[in-house]
Amino acid sequence: MFEGWLAFPFFGWGMMLLWLLVFLVVGILVYRDANRRGMNGLLWFVLVILPMVGLIFLILYLVLREPGGVQPVPVGDTAMDVLRQRYARGEIDEEEFRKRKEELERRD
């Protein structure tokens, strides 16, 4: 039925290359998403692009992935803020506060 040059894109090497490209694009998207969520992106990339079982691992990834992206650091929860709060509550004395403050300032 499909013979000649017109059948080439639908069967054979052309279709195989098209599917390979689709698997690679999906794998790259999964890799980026997994890295953003703090998961092992390379592992999920390899599992998703495996022939025949890649679709199963893609579904597993979508089910098992961590909800949301990387959590932003709350404003005001820096080490210096925690140190000031501990000093204000009386958990540390002035000498300890100054010592730790100098150490934190040296790190920056």
Side-chain angles (χ1 to χ4, degrees), residues 80 98-108:
M80 188 64 77
R98 289 177 194 239
K99 178 179 150 188
R100 291 184 186 223
K101 180 181 175 191
E102 288 173 9
E103 185 177 320
L104 285 174
E105 288 172 346
R106 271 187 273 141
R107 288 185 194 173
D108 293 336

Side-chain angles (χ1 to χ4, degrees), residues 21-93:
L21 181 65
V22 168
F23 274 104
L24 286 175
V25 168
V26 170
I28 291 169
L29 293 173
V30 167
Y31 171 81
R32 288 180 180 172
D33 185 60
N35 278 341
R36 252 187 268 123
R37 294 172 187 272
M39 299 170 72
N40 189 341
L42 185 59
L43 171 68
W44 283 106
F45 172 79
V46 170
L47 292 175
V48 166
I49 65 166
L50 287 174
M52 301 298 190
V53 294
L55 186 60
I56 294 169
F57 284 114
L58 176 62
I59 293 168
L60 276 175
Y61 173 73
L62 293 174
V63 170
L64 298 176
R65 69 183 180 167
E66 300 290 325
V70 175
Q71 300 296 324
V73 177
V75 177
D77 282 351
T78 64
M80 188 64 77
D81 291 333
V82 172
L83 182 63
R84 286 185 184 119
Q85 290 171 4
R86 289 186 65 200
Y87 179 64
R89 287 192 299 255
E91 294 177 10
I92 57 174
D93 60 1

